[in-house]
Amino acid sequence: MNPTRYTTANGAPVPQDDTSITAGERGPLTFDNWRLFEKLAHFNRERIPERVVHARGTSAQGVFRLTRDLSDLTIADFLRGVGKETPVAARFSTVAGGQDSNDMERDVRGFSVKFYTEQGNWDMVGNNTPVFFIREPSKFPDFIHTQKKDPRTNLVNWQNRWEFWALHPESFHQVTILLSDRGIPASLRHMHGFSSHTLSFFNEKGERHWVKWHFKTNQGIRNVSDEEAATIPHDHNQRDMVEAIDRGEFPSWTVKIQVMSEEQAREFRINPFDLTKVWPHGDVPLIEIGQMELNKNPDNYFAEVEQLAFSPSNFVPGISGSPDKVLQSRLLAYADAQRYRLSANYQQIPINQPRCPVNHYQRDGLMAGTCPVTGQSKEGGQYGDTNFYPNARADQGAPVPSPEFSEPPMPLEEEAWVGYHNNRGDDNYEQAGNLYRSFDDGQRDRIANVFATTLQGVTAPIVSKVIEHCYAADEDYGRRVEARYTALRDA
Ligand code: HEM
């Protein structure tokens, strides 16, 4: 077999790549070293901005199989017809660390799934926890600053973390999950995933239902303690996923949903759009709808993982958002981040391209290209020759809107005056307390120990506030955290 020809980026054969061109054996480089210049210049541009959060991640591709027909609830094509298969790409991540940080940190894990449906890409951008720390979106950058490194020392700073949590009692449900035994999943295969947010479905009749998504690991939940995590290599999650799939041991998740009618939502005792709360399964049962299996590793990490761009705003007909304020702010944040990180045409990068025709009137921009997956649509859109709408060229194939996919209007359930409204919520402790009460004695001791260890060195007023929140969630919770904190402090 002839060896593959080594070429420059313009395709010209490289005669040799062991030495650069110099004036004499010991002399300086000459200006005709364009091959060397190209190589060095491209190298300088290898890095792109990492994700501002969830920078360290592992991805795999596979399939979602529908096991329950949902035509009564949604016009989403991939949720209609038992047995229907939809290709997916999933990415799992830690939140706070940079791209080369430790996989085994006690941190929330991101759980994102891109469904390449025949009506466009739907992205489920969730976490391994059913709730989140905040219900007010403007707090997100401040919250993340406290989780990432201190601006002066460039070190993780528990004072900053606890100060944020202490000042935000609504975070205590999520803090109780994070500091519990579930805080460090043993691998990405051994954790659940959740939309966390309330999303919605709409059907042909214009009926809307509120929906939460759950991905239940078929591998079983497995976690490790801080002590065990400290002995595990920092790249464990990446290695575990790649090697499992290479061995043919394909991880899978049972996909379930919780569904609530608009009427039920109006009477529900909990605000169904409060991201710090779950819908108890006793009130809103889980309905099994499918299986997700990951059976292919990416061939090129940069192209298929670093450039993989998820956004909660990537909806398809039949799936939409809800009045959850955090969700709504995310509809803007992700695509904005990706335009910065990957360019305005990030949806044209092969891993992000829909597997269905794309026809619109957006034009040009950095890295605009033709669409190799869908073929170039001849008329209209980025790939065609008509760049304005409306036009009189529908008969020549220029793209036209599809009113049959219109979403029913989103209801406003109150007298809605525009302004700053109280977003403190009605209760910050009940569900944190319920979760704590579900722990056995050993779990209670271990969570108290994680609180106590990470609170050492934190200022006294913040420690008192944290302990107050624990007492407010559950008397025993407060007592154990206080006792363990004091014991460690005085040891
Ligand atoms: C106001 C609230 C939030 C804002 C502004 C925000 C913003 C962001 C941004 C800018 C990124 C990086 C996107 C990229 O560069 O591709 C990101 C990543 C991510 N966020 Fe959020 N986020 C918020 C809340 C949440 C919540 C509540 C969840 C889960 C329920 C979540 C899950 C994720 C995940 C999983 C990723 C990584 C996606 C991937 O794998 O590429 N975020 N977030």
Side-chain angles (χ1 to χ4, degrees):
M1 195 177 95
N2 289 334
T4 305
R5 180 167 274 161
Y6 180 1
T7 73
T8 48
N10 68 334
V14 171
Q16 64 106 336
D17 194 25
D18 293 313
T19 63
S20 307
I21 304 168
T22 54
E25 196 177 318
R26 298 189 177 187
L29 295 176
T30 60
F31 213 71
D32 51 357
N33 269 294
W34 60 274
R35 294 186 188 88
L36 168 69
F37 301 156
E38 176 185 281
K39 190 170 175 181
L40 295 181
H42 192 275
F43 176 70
N44 285 353
R45 289 160 179 79
E46 282 183 4
R47 298 281 84 77
I48 59 171
E50 65 176 31
R51 290 167 179 80
V52 64
V53 275
H54 295 263
R56 179 159 179 80
T58 294
S59 172
Q61 296 154 20
V63 66
F64 167 72
R65 290 188 191 90
L66 189 70
T67 53
R68 182 188 176 114
D69 180 81
L70 296 175
S71 335
D72 52 334
L73 291 171
T74 176
I75 58 170
D77 167 77
F78 78 108
L79 297 174
R80 296 161 76 101
V82 169
K84 180 132 199 172
E85 297 200 345
T86 304
V88 297
R91 182 174 178 272
F92 311 102
S93 45
T94 47
V95 181
Q99 214 174 43
D100 287 319
S101 55
N102 184 354
D103 279 343
M104 302 313 290
E105 288 291 337
R106 182 176 288 279
D107 193 0
V108 170
R109 303 290 188 261
F111 193 110
S112 309
V113 186
K114 189 181 283 295
F115 293 77
Y116 299 94
T117 90
E118 287 163 25
Q119 294 174 325
N121 292 347
W122 177 54
D123 292 352
M124 202 295 308
V125 198
N127 280 332
N128 70 327
T129 58
V131 295
F132 198 61
F133 298 91
I134 51 172
R135 64 167 75 88
E136 163 55 52
S138 72
K139 293 180 179 292
F140 185 78
D142 302 291
F143 165 61
I144 293 298
H145 288 167
T146 68
Q147 303 298 298
K148 284 190 165 267
K149 293 185 182 157
D150 181 274
R152 187 180 73 81
T153 61
N154 198 34
L155 299 168
V156 166
N157 183 328
W158 278 97
Q159 171 74 30
N160 296 349
R161 290 183 174 184
W162 277 117
E163 219 168 297
F164 185 89
W165 290 333
L167 297 174
H168 294 88
E170 69 270 33
S171 67
F172 262 71
H173 191 185
Q174 176 78 315
V175 169
T176 304
I177 300 173
L178 181 63
L179 301 198
S180 78
D181 286 357
R182 290 236 171 153
I184 316 179
S187 90
L188 302 169
R189 297 181 292 136
H190 295 95
M191 61 184 201
H192 296 329
F194 303 89
S195 64
S196 317
H197 293 285
T198 299
L199 302 174
S200 60
F201 280 160
F202 57 90
N203 62 16
E204 279 102 349
K205 292 186 237 159
E207 293 163 340
R208 185 192 299 278
H209 286 83
W210 308 115
V211 183
K212 280 185 187 284
W213 288 72
H214 301 246
F215 295 69
K216 300 285 189 187
T217 171
N218 292 334
Q219 291 66 241
I221 289 278
R222 265 193 233 158
N223 303 296
V224 293
S225 64
D226 289 293
E227 294 71 30
E228 286 166 319
T231 66
I232 298 174
H234 82 284
D235 56 1
H236 167 73
N237 281 347
Q238 175 70 28
R239 187 181 305 280
D240 175 80
M241 181 66 79
V242 171
E243 292 182 355
I245 293 178
D246 279 349
R247 282 196 304 274
E249 225 176 275
F250 302 141
S252 62
W253 283 260
T254 298
V255 184
K256 301 187 177 186
I257 53 174
Q258 286 179 292
V259 180
M260 195 187 281
S261 69
E262 286 180 320
E263 201 180 7
Q264 247 179 309
R266 276 193 286 274
E267 277 146 33
F268 201 51
R269 61 194 163 81
I270 300 163
N271 173 359
F273 311 114
D274 180 346
L275 182 57
T276 67
K277 305 236 169 58
V278 293
W279 295 352
H281 299 174
D283 297 326
V284 191
L286 288 171
I287 304 168
E288 184 172 331
I289 64 156
Q291 290 288 323
M292 178 176 84
E293 177 187 272
L294 300 180
N295 49 30
K296 183 182 177 304
N297 282 313
D299 295 319
N300 178 322
Y301 184 85
F302 183 86
E304 294 169 68
V305 187
E306 204 44 29
Q307 298 197 121
L308 179 56
F310 292 95
S311 172
S313 59
N314 281 341
F315 288 126
V316 292
I319 300 187
S320 185
S322 78
D324 177 338
K325 299 164 176 58
V326 178
L327 171 64
Q328 287 168 347
S329 69
R330 295 179 71 202
L331 302 184
L332 177 143
Y334 288 65
D336 180 51
Q338 288 143 13
R339 288 181 195 111
Y340 161 67
R341 217 162 57 73
L342 301 167
S343 96
N345 287 311
Y346 68 94
Q347 308 239 39
Q348 290 186 29
I349 295 171
I351 193 67
N352 298 324
Q353 278 173 7
R355 309 277 170 89
C356 60
V358 176
N359 301 297
H360 53 66
Y361 296 93
Q362 297 163 22
R363 301 295 302 192
D364 310 340
L366 201 63
M367 304 300 290
T370 50
C371 178
V373 171
T374 58
Q376 301 164 24
S377 95
K378 215 163 110 338
E379 298 87 9
Q382 181 88 4
Y383 318 117
D385 52 14
T386 302
N387 62 355
F388 60 97
Y389 179 84
N391 56 58
R393 305 180 191 183
D395 58 340
Q396 297 160 41
V400 291
S402 316
E404 68 274 25
F405 295 137
S406 298
E407 182 178 341
M410 185 81 74
L412 281 177
E413 302 293 358
E414 55 189 303
E415 225 187 312
W417 295 93
V418 174
Y420 294 113
H421 290 277
N422 168 7
N423 201 6
R424 287 194 295 275
D426 42 7
D427 162 58
N428 292 316
Y429 300 114
E430 188 194 338
Q431 294 199 347
N434 289 344
L435 179 61
Y436 178 81
R437 285 183 283 278
S438 75
F439 294 162
D440 65 26
D441 205 48
Q443 288 171 309
R444 291 178 183 199
D445 275 348
R446 288 193 291 277
I447 191 174
N449 190 51
V450 178
F451 264 81
T453 311
T454 54
L455 278 169
Q456 298 303 312
V458 171
T459 51
I462 295 300
V463 174
S464 306
K465 242 185 180 341
V466 169
I467 293 172
E468 249 172 61
H469 293 315
C470 294
Y471 272 110
D474 184 274
E475 189 73 21
D476 182 68
Y477 196 177
R479 211 172 316 115
R480 283 196 207 219
V481 170
E482 186 171 24
R484 186 68 188 143
Y485 167 76
T486 314
L488 287 184
R489 188 196 57 194
D490 299 343

